[in-house]
Amino acid sequence: MSPTPIAARPGETYFVPGVRVMRLNKMPHPGPDVEAQEIVELRQDIMSVTVTRPCTGAAQYCILLNNWFDSLPRDRSVGVGPREEIVGGQPVWPRFKYNDFTVLDFGMRLRIDMRYFPDAGSALSTTDQQAQKWVPMVSGPISDMRFTFSDRDGARLQVCGEDDLCILKNKNPQKVDYWAVPEQVIVDDVLRRANFPLPLAPPLIPWPTFTESSAKALAEAHFEGQSYLDYLMKFADRWDFEVFIEYVSLDDPNSGLEFHFEPSRCRTPPDQTLRELYIVERGKNLVEFKPNLRVVDQWTSVTFCGHDHHWQNPNMICATAPRNPNPLPPAPLPGADPDTVADELHIDRARNDEPLVSGPEWRRQKFTLNPHTEINQRGIDSERAQVMAEALYRKRARDFLKIDTVTIGLPRLRAGKHAEYRGMRAPFDGFYYVEKSEHTYGDEGLRTNFTARRPGMPFRPKNGP
Protein backbone atom coordinates (compact mmCIF):
# COMPACT_ATOMS: atom_id res chain seq x y z
CA MET A 1 0.00 0.00 0.00
CA SER A 2 1.57 3.28 -1.11
CA PRO A 3 1.76 6.16 1.38
CA THR A 4 -0.81 8.90 1.17
CA PRO A 5 0.51 11.95 -0.69
CA ILE A 6 1.31 14.86 1.57
CA ALA A 7 -0.98 17.17 -0.41
CA ALA A 8 -3.98 14.97 0.46
CA ARG A 9 -3.41 15.06 4.20
CA PRO A 10 -5.37 17.45 6.37
CA GLY A 11 -3.43 20.45 7.58
CA GLU A 12 -3.37 22.01 11.00
CA THR A 13 -5.97 24.63 10.12
CA TYR A 14 -8.80 24.59 12.69
CA PHE A 15 -7.00 21.87 14.64
CA VAL A 16 -4.32 23.80 16.58
CA PRO A 17 -6.02 26.72 18.34
CA GLY A 18 -4.20 29.42 20.20
CA VAL A 19 -5.07 32.00 22.83
CA ARG A 20 -3.00 34.70 24.48
CA VAL A 21 -3.54 37.19 27.28
CA MET A 22 -2.10 40.67 26.85
CA ARG A 23 -1.49 43.32 29.50
CA LEU A 24 -2.59 46.81 28.41
CA ASN A 25 -2.34 50.34 29.72
CA LYS A 26 -4.44 50.96 32.80
CA MET A 27 -6.89 53.18 30.89
CA PRO A 28 -8.11 52.89 27.30
CA HIS A 29 -6.99 55.62 24.96
CA PRO A 30 -7.48 56.67 21.34
CA GLY A 31 -5.06 55.13 18.90
CA PRO A 32 -2.99 51.93 18.82
CA ASP A 33 -2.04 49.88 21.90
CA VAL A 34 1.70 50.26 21.38
CA GLU A 35 2.53 49.09 24.92
CA ALA A 36 0.53 45.85 24.85
CA GLN A 37 2.58 42.91 26.16
CA GLU A 38 1.73 39.24 26.47
CA ILE A 39 1.71 37.83 30.01
CA VAL A 40 4.00 34.94 29.12
CA GLU A 41 3.73 33.28 32.53
CA LEU A 42 0.06 32.47 31.88
CA ARG A 43 0.71 30.39 28.76
CA GLN A 44 1.25 27.06 30.50
CA ASP A 45 -1.47 27.65 33.09
CA ILE A 46 -4.46 28.52 30.86
CA MET A 47 -7.08 25.79 31.16
CA SER A 48 -9.98 27.56 29.44
CA VAL A 49 -10.99 31.01 28.20
CA THR A 50 -14.51 32.21 27.45
CA VAL A 51 -15.35 35.50 25.73
CA THR A 52 -19.00 36.56 25.43
CA ARG A 53 -19.91 39.37 23.05
CA PRO A 54 -23.46 40.78 22.74
CA CYS A 55 -24.42 42.99 19.79
CA THR A 56 -25.19 45.77 22.29
CA GLY A 57 -23.77 46.21 25.77
CA ALA A 58 -20.56 45.16 27.48
CA ALA A 59 -18.57 42.08 26.46
CA GLN A 60 -17.25 39.76 29.21
CA TYR A 61 -14.36 37.33 29.60
CA CYS A 62 -13.36 34.58 32.04
CA ILE A 63 -9.97 32.86 32.21
CA LEU A 64 -9.49 29.61 34.18
CA LEU A 65 -5.90 29.12 35.34
CA ASN A 66 -3.88 26.51 37.13
CA ASN A 67 -2.80 28.10 40.42
CA TRP A 68 0.02 25.74 41.35
CA PHE A 69 3.79 25.59 40.82
CA ASP A 70 4.10 22.09 39.38
CA SER A 71 7.80 21.66 38.62
CA LEU A 72 9.78 18.40 38.67
CA PRO A 73 11.65 17.39 41.86
CA ARG A 74 15.02 18.36 40.39
CA ASP A 75 13.75 21.92 39.93
CA ARG A 76 12.57 22.35 43.50
CA SER A 77 15.89 23.65 44.82
CA VAL A 78 15.98 26.60 42.43
CA GLY A 79 12.27 27.32 42.22
CA VAL A 80 10.10 27.90 39.18
CA GLY A 81 10.25 31.48 38.03
CA PRO A 82 11.31 34.52 40.04
CA ARG A 83 8.20 34.60 42.23
CA GLU A 84 8.42 31.19 43.91
CA GLU A 85 9.64 31.57 47.47
CA ILE A 86 12.58 29.33 48.44
CA VAL A 87 13.53 28.71 52.08
CA GLY A 88 16.40 26.40 52.99
CA GLY A 89 16.77 25.29 49.40
CA GLN A 90 13.18 24.12 49.21
CA PRO A 91 10.04 25.81 47.80
CA VAL A 92 7.73 27.13 50.51
CA TRP A 93 4.59 25.04 50.96
CA PRO A 94 1.86 25.39 49.79
CA ARG A 95 3.10 26.27 46.30
CA PHE A 96 0.22 28.51 45.15
CA LYS A 97 1.17 30.60 42.14
CA TYR A 98 -1.16 33.60 41.80
CA ASN A 99 -2.29 34.20 45.40
CA ASP A 100 -0.07 37.26 45.79
CA PHE A 101 -1.88 39.34 43.08
CA THR A 102 1.49 40.18 41.53
CA VAL A 103 0.79 38.87 38.03
CA LEU A 104 -2.99 39.47 38.02
CA ASP A 105 -4.75 42.11 40.07
CA PHE A 106 -8.10 43.88 40.19
CA GLY A 107 -8.39 46.72 37.70
CA MET A 108 -5.58 45.40 35.49
CA ARG A 109 -6.63 45.73 31.85
CA LEU A 110 -6.27 42.59 29.77
CA ARG A 111 -6.89 41.77 26.13
CA ILE A 112 -7.79 38.29 24.90
CA ASP A 113 -6.60 37.27 21.42
CA MET A 114 -7.52 34.04 19.62
CA ARG A 115 -6.40 32.30 16.44
CA TYR A 116 -5.35 29.00 14.85
CA PHE A 117 -1.64 28.36 14.44
CA PRO A 118 -0.38 28.63 10.86
CA ASP A 119 -0.16 25.81 8.36
CA ALA A 120 3.32 25.58 6.90
CA GLY A 121 3.41 25.65 3.13
CA SER A 122 -0.33 25.24 2.57
CA ALA A 123 -2.37 26.97 -0.12
CA LEU A 124 -5.06 28.44 2.10
CA SER A 125 -8.45 29.87 1.33
CA THR A 126 -9.39 33.35 2.51
CA THR A 127 -11.21 31.80 5.46
CA ASP A 128 -8.16 29.85 6.59
CA GLN A 129 -5.80 32.77 6.11
CA GLN A 130 -7.98 34.98 8.29
CA ALA A 131 -8.26 32.27 10.94
CA GLN A 132 -4.48 32.13 11.33
CA LYS A 133 -4.09 35.78 12.33
CA TRP A 134 -4.39 36.86 15.94
CA VAL A 135 -7.90 38.29 16.36
CA PRO A 136 -8.61 40.65 19.28
CA MET A 137 -11.68 39.48 21.19
CA VAL A 138 -12.18 41.75 24.22
CA SER A 139 -10.27 44.34 26.23
CA GLY A 140 -11.09 45.46 29.74
CA PRO A 141 -10.19 45.42 33.44
CA ILE A 142 -10.29 42.46 35.82
CA SER A 143 -13.35 42.77 38.04
CA ASP A 144 -13.72 39.36 39.73
CA MET A 145 -11.49 36.53 40.93
CA ARG A 146 -12.57 33.15 42.20
CA PHE A 147 -10.06 30.86 43.89
CA THR A 148 -10.62 27.12 44.23
CA PHE A 149 -8.55 24.86 46.48
CA SER A 150 -9.77 21.29 46.06
CA ASP A 151 -8.40 17.81 46.66
CA ARG A 152 -10.04 16.80 43.37
CA ASP A 153 -9.18 19.66 41.00
CA GLY A 154 -6.18 21.13 42.79
CA ALA A 155 -5.62 24.88 42.97
CA ARG A 156 -7.34 26.97 40.33
CA LEU A 157 -8.06 30.62 39.72
CA GLN A 158 -10.86 32.04 37.58
CA VAL A 159 -10.29 35.64 36.48
CA CYS A 160 -13.24 37.53 34.96
CA GLY A 161 -13.82 41.02 33.64
CA GLU A 162 -15.69 43.05 31.08
CA ASP A 163 -14.82 45.48 28.35
CA ASP A 164 -14.20 49.19 28.75
CA LEU A 165 -17.89 50.09 28.68
CA CYS A 166 -17.61 49.49 32.43
CA ILE A 167 -16.26 53.05 32.69
CA LEU A 168 -19.73 54.29 31.75
CA LYS A 169 -21.28 52.31 34.61
CA ASN A 170 -20.14 54.96 37.07
CA LYS A 171 -22.98 56.99 38.59
CA ASN A 172 -23.82 60.55 37.66
CA PRO A 173 -23.01 62.65 40.78
CA GLN A 174 -25.63 65.35 40.21
CA LYS A 175 -28.64 66.00 38.00
CA VAL A 176 -27.99 67.59 34.61
CA ASP A 177 -30.83 69.25 32.68
CA TYR A 178 -30.76 69.58 28.92
CA TRP A 179 -33.16 72.23 27.69
CA ALA A 180 -33.62 72.25 23.91
CA VAL A 181 -30.30 70.45 23.37
CA PRO A 182 -30.04 68.05 20.37
CA GLU A 183 -29.50 64.42 21.30
CA GLN A 184 -26.18 64.23 19.44
CA VAL A 185 -24.86 67.03 21.67
CA ILE A 186 -26.27 65.25 24.73
CA VAL A 187 -24.41 62.03 23.87
CA ASP A 188 -21.15 63.91 23.41
CA ASP A 189 -21.66 65.70 26.73
CA VAL A 190 -22.40 62.44 28.57
CA LEU A 191 -19.13 60.96 27.31
CA ARG A 192 -17.29 64.11 28.33
CA ARG A 193 -18.77 64.14 31.84
CA ALA A 194 -17.92 60.44 32.24
CA ASN A 195 -14.31 61.11 31.18
CA PHE A 196 -14.73 58.41 28.58
CA PRO A 197 -11.53 58.38 26.50
CA LEU A 198 -12.56 56.50 23.35
CA PRO A 199 -13.66 58.29 20.19
CA LEU A 200 -17.20 57.97 18.85
CA ALA A 201 -17.00 56.00 15.60
CA PRO A 202 -19.00 57.14 12.57
CA PRO A 203 -22.23 55.13 12.22
CA LEU A 204 -22.96 52.77 9.34
CA ILE A 205 -26.52 54.15 9.18
CA PRO A 206 -27.17 57.88 9.85
CA TRP A 207 -28.91 58.95 13.03
CA PRO A 208 -32.46 60.33 12.76
CA THR A 209 -32.38 63.92 11.55
CA PHE A 210 -34.11 65.31 14.65
CA THR A 211 -31.12 64.29 16.80
CA GLU A 212 -28.95 67.04 15.35
CA SER A 213 -31.49 69.88 15.19
CA SER A 214 -31.70 72.44 18.00
CA ALA A 215 -35.08 73.58 16.67
CA LYS A 216 -36.47 70.04 17.17
CA ALA A 217 -34.78 69.33 20.50
CA LEU A 218 -36.83 68.42 23.58
CA ALA A 219 -36.16 68.69 27.29
CA GLU A 220 -34.11 65.84 28.76
CA ALA A 221 -32.53 65.20 32.16
CA HIS A 222 -29.75 62.93 33.42
CA PHE A 223 -30.71 62.25 37.04
CA GLU A 224 -28.39 61.93 39.98
CA GLY A 225 -27.40 58.32 40.67
CA GLN A 226 -28.23 57.11 37.15
CA SER A 227 -25.19 55.64 35.44
CA TYR A 228 -23.88 57.18 32.24
CA LEU A 229 -24.42 53.90 30.40
CA ASP A 230 -28.02 53.53 31.58
CA TYR A 231 -28.75 57.06 30.39
CA LEU A 232 -27.29 56.33 26.94
CA MET A 233 -29.19 53.03 26.78
CA LYS A 234 -32.43 54.96 27.26
CA PHE A 235 -31.88 56.69 23.93
CA ALA A 236 -30.67 53.45 22.34
CA ASP A 237 -33.88 51.65 23.33
CA ARG A 238 -36.02 54.46 21.95
CA TRP A 239 -34.34 54.55 18.56
CA ASP A 240 -33.24 50.92 18.06
CA PHE A 241 -29.55 51.73 18.53
CA GLU A 242 -26.66 49.52 19.60
CA VAL A 243 -24.01 50.55 22.13
CA PHE A 244 -20.72 48.64 21.96
CA ILE A 245 -16.94 48.79 21.73
CA GLU A 246 -15.09 47.27 18.79
CA TYR A 247 -11.54 47.24 17.48
CA VAL A 248 -10.51 49.58 14.70
CA SER A 249 -9.28 46.57 12.71
CA LEU A 250 -9.64 42.85 13.44
CA ASP A 251 -6.52 42.31 11.34
CA ASP A 252 -4.40 44.22 13.88
CA PRO A 253 -4.97 43.44 17.58
CA ASN A 254 -3.05 46.60 18.51
CA SER A 255 -5.15 48.87 16.28
CA GLY A 256 -7.03 50.36 19.23
CA LEU A 257 -10.67 50.66 20.23
CA GLU A 258 -13.67 52.68 19.08
CA PHE A 259 -16.92 53.45 20.86
CA HIS A 260 -20.08 52.86 18.79
CA PHE A 261 -23.51 54.36 19.39
CA GLU A 262 -25.47 53.78 16.21
CA PRO A 263 -28.56 52.24 14.59
CA SER A 264 -28.72 48.45 14.71
CA ARG A 265 -26.19 46.92 12.31
CA CYS A 266 -28.63 44.20 11.26
CA ARG A 267 -30.08 46.74 8.81
CA THR A 268 -26.76 46.88 6.94
CA PRO A 269 -26.47 44.33 4.10
CA PRO A 270 -23.88 41.59 4.67
CA ASP A 271 -20.49 42.43 3.21
CA GLN A 272 -20.21 40.16 0.20
CA THR A 273 -16.40 40.16 0.41
CA LEU A 274 -16.71 38.23 3.70
CA ARG A 275 -18.97 35.52 2.28
CA GLU A 276 -16.35 32.80 2.60
CA LEU A 277 -15.59 33.70 6.18
CA TYR A 278 -19.09 33.66 7.61
CA ILE A 279 -20.65 30.60 5.96
CA VAL A 280 -21.67 27.89 8.42
CA GLU A 281 -22.59 24.77 6.50
CA ARG A 282 -24.01 21.36 7.35
CA GLY A 283 -21.42 18.63 7.04
CA LYS A 284 -18.51 21.08 7.21
CA ASN A 285 -18.39 23.39 10.20
CA LEU A 286 -21.94 23.31 11.56
CA VAL A 287 -21.90 21.33 14.82
CA GLU A 288 -25.35 22.17 16.27
CA PHE A 289 -28.33 23.96 14.71
CA LYS A 290 -31.42 24.74 16.80
CA PRO A 291 -34.01 27.04 15.16
CA ASN A 292 -36.86 28.47 17.22
CA LEU A 293 -39.93 30.04 15.57
CA ARG A 294 -42.46 32.28 17.35
CA VAL A 295 -45.40 33.29 15.20
CA VAL A 296 -48.41 33.90 17.43
CA ASP A 297 -46.63 36.57 19.53
CA GLN A 298 -45.83 38.74 16.52
CA TRP A 299 -47.36 42.22 16.31
CA THR A 300 -48.81 43.05 12.92
CA SER A 301 -48.58 46.76 13.73
CA VAL A 302 -47.45 49.06 16.54
CA THR A 303 -49.12 52.35 17.37
CA PHE A 304 -47.27 54.75 19.63
CA CYS A 305 -49.36 57.53 21.23
CA GLY A 306 -48.58 60.27 23.70
CA HIS A 307 -48.89 63.90 24.66
CA ASP A 308 -47.18 66.60 22.65
CA HIS A 309 -44.04 67.93 24.30
CA HIS A 310 -45.55 71.45 24.25
CA TRP A 311 -47.68 71.49 27.38
CA GLN A 312 -49.97 74.10 25.82
CA ASN A 313 -50.93 71.65 23.06
CA PRO A 314 -53.62 69.24 24.35
CA ASN A 315 -53.57 67.11 21.19
CA MET A 316 -52.43 63.50 21.22
CA ILE A 317 -49.69 62.40 18.83
CA CYS A 318 -49.86 58.93 17.32
CA ALA A 319 -47.59 57.09 14.90
CA THR A 320 -47.96 53.59 13.47
CA ALA A 321 -45.45 51.08 12.10
CA PRO A 322 -45.73 49.98 9.42
CA ARG A 323 -47.04 53.28 8.11
CA ASN A 324 -49.64 51.46 6.03
CA PRO A 325 -50.76 48.45 8.08
CA ASN A 326 -51.75 45.39 6.12
CA PRO A 327 -55.44 44.82 5.35
CA LEU A 328 -57.27 41.83 6.71
CA PRO A 329 -56.27 38.52 5.09
CA PRO A 330 -56.25 37.07 2.52
CA ALA A 331 -54.04 38.82 -0.10
CA PRO A 332 -50.58 37.85 1.16
CA LEU A 333 -47.76 39.95 -0.19
CA PRO A 334 -44.19 38.60 -0.17
CA GLY A 335 -41.97 41.07 1.63
CA ALA A 336 -44.85 42.85 3.35
CA ASP A 337 -44.36 46.10 5.30
CA PRO A 338 -41.48 47.25 3.04
CA ASP A 339 -40.91 50.43 5.04
CA THR A 340 -40.12 48.70 8.34
CA VAL A 341 -38.19 45.40 8.53
CA ALA A 342 -37.54 44.78 4.83
CA ASP A 343 -34.05 46.26 5.28
CA GLU A 344 -33.28 43.33 7.63
CA LEU A 345 -34.48 40.59 5.27
CA HIS A 346 -31.26 40.05 3.34
CA ILE A 347 -31.14 37.40 0.61
CA ASP A 348 -28.42 36.13 -1.70
CA ARG A 349 -29.78 36.68 -5.19
CA ALA A 350 -26.74 34.96 -6.71
CA ARG A 351 -27.92 31.73 -5.06
CA ASN A 352 -31.55 32.32 -6.14
CA ASP A 353 -32.75 32.63 -2.56
CA GLU A 354 -36.51 32.90 -2.23
CA PRO A 355 -38.00 36.24 -1.09
CA LEU A 356 -38.49 36.49 2.66
CA VAL A 357 -41.82 37.28 4.30
CA SER A 358 -41.66 39.09 7.63
CA GLY A 359 -42.75 37.54 10.92
CA PRO A 360 -45.66 40.01 11.30
CA GLU A 361 -46.95 38.97 7.89
CA TRP A 362 -46.71 35.29 8.89
CA ARG A 363 -48.80 36.14 11.96
CA ARG A 364 -51.36 37.95 9.81
CA GLN A 365 -51.68 35.00 7.45
CA LYS A 366 -51.89 32.29 10.10
CA PHE A 367 -53.71 34.00 12.98
CA THR A 368 -55.14 37.28 11.54
CA LEU A 369 -54.21 40.72 12.84
CA ASN A 370 -52.51 41.41 16.17
CA PRO A 371 -52.07 45.19 16.59
CA HIS A 372 -50.26 46.61 19.60
CA THR A 373 -50.66 50.09 21.10
CA GLU A 374 -48.45 52.04 23.51
CA ILE A 375 -50.37 54.90 25.12
CA ASN A 376 -49.80 57.82 27.52
CA GLN A 377 -46.22 58.42 26.41
CA ARG A 378 -44.88 61.82 27.39
CA GLY A 379 -42.58 64.38 25.83
CA ILE A 380 -42.73 63.29 22.18
CA ASP A 381 -43.33 64.77 18.78
CA SER A 382 -44.44 63.19 15.50
CA GLU A 383 -40.92 62.31 14.31
CA ARG A 384 -39.86 60.71 17.57
CA ALA A 385 -43.18 58.86 17.87
CA GLN A 386 -42.60 57.30 14.43
CA VAL A 387 -39.06 56.22 15.30
CA MET A 388 -40.22 54.72 18.62
CA ALA A 389 -43.09 52.86 16.96
CA GLU A 390 -40.73 51.38 14.39
CA ALA A 391 -38.24 50.43 17.12
CA LEU A 392 -40.89 48.47 19.02
CA TYR A 393 -42.10 46.84 15.82
CA ARG A 394 -38.59 45.74 14.85
CA LYS A 395 -37.79 44.31 18.29
CA ARG A 396 -40.86 42.09 18.30
CA ALA A 397 -40.33 41.02 14.68
CA ARG A 398 -36.79 39.89 15.53
CA ASP A 399 -38.20 37.27 17.91
CA PHE A 400 -39.80 35.50 14.95
CA LEU A 401 -36.86 33.24 14.01
CA LYS A 402 -33.79 32.69 16.17
CA ILE A 403 -31.16 29.99 15.80
CA ASP A 404 -28.78 28.72 18.47
CA THR A 405 -25.69 27.44 16.72
CA VAL A 406 -22.42 25.75 17.59
CA THR A 407 -19.60 25.84 15.07
CA ILE A 408 -15.85 25.47 15.11
CA GLY A 409 -14.09 28.42 16.67
CA LEU A 410 -14.28 31.42 14.35
CA PRO A 411 -13.11 34.49 16.29
CA ARG A 412 -14.28 36.83 13.51
CA LEU A 413 -17.78 35.38 13.53
CA ARG A 414 -19.03 37.56 16.38
CA ALA A 415 -22.01 39.55 17.52
CA GLY A 416 -22.76 42.43 15.17
CA LYS A 417 -21.81 40.42 12.07
CA HIS A 418 -23.91 38.38 9.66
CA ALA A 419 -23.71 34.61 9.32
CA GLU A 420 -24.78 32.68 6.24
CA TYR A 421 -26.28 29.23 6.77
CA ARG A 422 -26.09 26.69 3.96
CA GLY A 423 -26.99 23.03 3.66
CA MET A 424 -30.21 23.20 5.71
CA ARG A 425 -32.42 24.10 2.70
CA ALA A 426 -35.45 26.38 2.78
CA PRO A 427 -36.74 27.93 4.94
CA PHE A 428 -33.55 28.09 7.01
CA ASP A 429 -30.76 28.80 4.52
CA GLY A 430 -29.64 32.40 4.11
CA PHE A 431 -28.30 35.39 6.01
CA TYR A 432 -28.86 35.96 9.73
CA TYR A 433 -27.68 38.60 12.15
CA VAL A 434 -25.54 37.42 15.08
CA GLU A 435 -26.94 39.02 18.25
CA LYS A 436 -24.72 37.17 20.74
CA SER A 437 -21.58 35.08 20.43
CA GLU A 438 -19.58 33.02 22.94
CA HIS A 439 -16.05 32.00 22.04
CA THR A 440 -14.51 29.24 24.14
CA TYR A 441 -10.97 27.88 24.28
CA GLY A 442 -10.76 24.64 26.23
CA ASP A 443 -10.62 20.87 26.05
CA GLU A 444 -12.49 20.84 22.72
CA GLY A 445 -10.21 23.41 21.14
CA LEU A 446 -11.97 26.54 19.91
CA ARG A 447 -15.76 26.63 19.75
CA THR A 448 -18.09 29.46 18.82
CA ASN A 449 -21.66 29.34 20.16
CA PHE A 450 -23.87 32.06 18.80
CA THR A 451 -27.49 33.11 18.55
CA ALA A 452 -28.57 34.50 15.19
CA ARG A 453 -31.88 36.04 14.19
CA ARG A 454 -33.89 36.90 11.09
CA PRO A 455 -37.31 38.59 11.21
CA GLY A 456 -38.71 36.55 8.32
CA MET A 457 -38.45 33.46 6.13
CA PRO A 458 -39.81 32.24 2.78
CA PHE A 459 -43.57 31.87 2.65
CA ARG A 460 -44.78 28.67 0.99
CA PRO A 461 -48.49 27.94 0.68
CA LYS A 462 -49.43 24.58 2.15
CA ASN A 463 -50.28 23.07 -1.20
CA GLY A 464 -47.52 24.84 -3.10
CA PRO A 465 -44.46 23.22 -4.69
Side-chain angles (χ1 to χ4, degrees), residues 52-102:
T52 304
R53 296 187 61 95
C55 63
T56 183
Q60 295 87 32
Y61 64 85
C62 280
I63 308 168
L64 182 63
L65 299 165
N66 165 61
N67 186 24
W68 184 261
F69 286 109
D70 52 1
S71 62
L72 296 173
R74 66 173 177 268
D75 301 319
R76 295 172 63 84
S77 61
V78 295
V80 181
R83 294 189 304 103
E84 186 173 18
E85 185 177 357
I86 305 297
V87 176
Q90 293 294 324
V92 174
W93 188 271
R95 308 179 70 211
F96 300 134
K97 197 170 186 180
Y98 298 108
N99 287 20
D100 56 5
F101 301 104
T102 300

Side-chain angles (χ1 to χ4, degrees), residues 55 204-205 236 239-242 244 261-268 343-344 394 398 416 418 433 453:
C55 63
L204 297 176
I205 299 174
W239 308 334
D240 187 36
F241 274 33
E242 294 176 339
F244 62 97
F261 185 82
E262 60 185 75
S264 178
R265 291 164 286 172
C266 63
R267 298 160 60 184
T268 305
D343 57 358
E344 301 182 34
R394 288 181 184 275
R398 291 167 187 162
H418 283 86
Y433 182 69
R453 71 184 188 222

Side-chain angles (χ1 to χ4, degrees), residues 161-182:
E162 59 182 9
D163 71 17
D164 293 307
L165 275 182
C166 62
I167 298 174
L168 294 175
K169 292 186 176 181
N170 293 330
K171 306 296 184 181
N172 178 35
Q174 61 182 8
K175 181 183 178 184
V176 177
D177 291 309
Y178 295 105
W179 298 99
V181 178

Side-chain angles (χ1 to χ4, degrees), residues 219-414:
E220 297 286 351
H222 187 181
F223 293 101
E224 178 182 352
Q226 184 181 26
S227 75
Y228 300 99
L229 183 58
D230 285 344
Y231 187 56
L232 292 177
M233 292 299 295
K234 180 185 74 169
F235 295 106
D237 290 339
R238 288 179 183 177
W239 308 334
D240 187 36
F241 274 33
E242 294 176 339
V243 183
F244 62 97
I245 288 177
E246 186 55 282
Y247 296 88
V248 174
S249 172
L250 296 185
D251 291 326
D252 181 7
N254 294 323
S255 61
L257 297 166
E258 290 180 327
F259 173 70
H260 292 258
F261 185 82
E262 60 185 75
S264 178
R265 291 164 286 172
C266 63
R267 298 160 60 184
T268 305
D271 187 349
Q272 297 300 309
T273 63
L274 299 181
R275 175 189 308 282
E276 191 175 18
L277 180 62
Y278 298 120
I279 289 180
V280 285
E281 189 168 359
R282 180 178 62 87
K284 293 186 177 180
N285 57 3
L286 187 57
V287 180
E288 291 185 15
F289 181 83
K290 299 178 180 179
N292 184 27
L293 287 157
R294 300 180 63 181
V295 178
V296 73
D297 293 332
Q298 290 292 298
W299 294 334
T300 53
S301 66
V302 171
T303 300
F304 195 89
C305 294
H307 297 281
D308 191 285
H309 65 100
H310 291 296
W311 63 271
Q312 302 96 332
N313 187 355
N315 296 330
M316 292 286 289
I317 294 176
C318 289
T320 300
R323 295 175 187 269
N324 300 307
N326 296 326
L328 289 171
L333 294 174
D337 48 70
D339 62 337
T340 306
V341 296
D343 57 358
E344 301 182 34
L345 300 176
H346 310 295
I347 62 173
D348 191 340
R349 299 187 186 279
R351 296 180 185 266
N352 297 317
D353 283 351
E354 300 180 50
L356 302 178
V357 177
S358 70
E361 176 66 8
W362 272 85
R363 157 70 206 208
R364 189 179 76 91
Q365 290 295 320
K366 301 298 182 181
F367 298 98
T368 71
L369 298 179
N370 185 28
H372 176 76
T373 302
E374 295 277 334
I375 62 174
N376 295 327
Q377 304 300 311
R378 294 184 178 276
I380 63 173
D381 57 20
S382 57
E383 291 181 82
R384 289 172 173 81
Q386 187 64 48
V387 169
M388 294 178 186
E390 292 182 1
L392 288 172
Y393 185 83
R394 288 181 184 275
K395 291 175 184 177
R396 182 53 63 99
R398 291 167 187 162
D399 289 336
F400 171 69
L401 173 55
K402 292 190 177 183
I403 301 177
D404 292 326
T405 307
V406 179
T407 183
I408 61 174
L410 292 174
R412 290 170 175 264
L413 179 56
R414 57 217 280 156

